[in-house]
Amino acid sequence: MTHNHSCCRDAVAAKMTPNRQLVLSLLQSSGKPLSAYELLDCLREQGTQWQPPTAYRALDYLVAQGFAHYLQSIQKYVVCPHQGCDHFSQLLICVHCGQVLEAAMAPELLNLLNQQVAAQGFRLAPQFLELKGTCSRCQSEN
C-alpha cells in the first residue's frame, strides 16, 4: 500500500479554508521553520487569537496534503518548496541559522535503500530524510 500525499493539487482542489490558507501564507513568508507556538505568536502579532488546537488542525492538514513538512528532529513545520513531495527527498537543516533546503535523493542512494529493506521483505513509502549540518552561508561566515 502506497501513501499518496497528492501534493501537486492546487489550494482550491485541496479545500483550503481561510485558516489553512493563513497558516500556509505564514509558513511561506517566514523564511524559516516554525513551531506551532511560533506560528501562534505570528498570528497574535497580526491580531488573530487562536487556541493551539486550531493551529495544529491547520498544520496537520497542510502536512497531510503535502503543502508543508513536519520536521520531527526540531519539532517545526516548513512549507514544501515545490509542492511535489510524493517522492523521496532530503531536508537539509542548518544547525546555525535554521534554514531548510529540500534536495532530491540521488537515485543511487534510493536504489541502495530499497535493496536493503527489500531483503527484509519491506517496501519504503515516499518520505524525506532530515539531515542536520551547516549551510554554505553559515560556513562562509565562520
Side-chain angles (χ1 to χ4, degrees), residues 3-141:
H3 182 68
N4 184 355
H5 290 287
S6 300
C7 54
C8 295
R9 290 185 291 190
D10 62 26
V12 174
K15 299 180 183 174
M16 292 294 275
T17 63
N19 285 359
R20 293 169 182 164
Q21 186 60 55
L22 179 58
V23 170
L24 182 59
S25 295
L26 285 171
L27 286 175
Q28 288 171 328
S29 64
S30 73
K32 64 177 185 168
L34 296 174
S35 70
Y37 285 93
E38 289 170 333
L39 181 73
L40 286 168
D41 289 342
C42 292
L43 289 165
R44 279 189 205 99
E45 289 171 11
Q46 294 182 355
T48 303
Q49 298 293 325
W50 282 6
Q51 295 300 312
T54 305
Y56 279 112
R57 278 193 299 272
L59 288 164
D60 289 346
Y61 181 85
L62 293 173
V63 169
Q65 295 300 314
F67 290 108
H69 297 302
Y70 176 64
L71 304 170
Q72 182 73 40
S73 65
I74 58 173
Q75 299 181 342
K76 294 188 178 194
Y77 297 83
V78 65
V79 71
C80 180
H82 51 27
Q83 305 300 299
C85 63
D86 193 22
H87 60 272
F88 294 84
S89 65
Q90 302 163 94
L91 295 177
L92 311 176
I93 304 166
C94 181
V95 296
H96 298 286
C97 70
Q99 176 183 338
V100 177
L101 300 172
E102 186 166 350
M105 193 175 300
E108 301 82 10
L109 177 58
L110 184 54
N111 288 338
L112 182 58
L113 289 171
N114 279 321
Q115 288 171 14
Q116 288 180 324
V117 300
Q120 305 300 316
F122 194 80
R123 184 172 57 192
L124 293 175
Q127 60 191 292
F128 54 89
L129 297 175
E130 296 178 34
L131 302 172
K132 292 182 180 178
T134 307
C135 71
S136 59
R137 186 183 59 182
C138 289
Q139 288 177 48
S140 66
E141 291 175 359

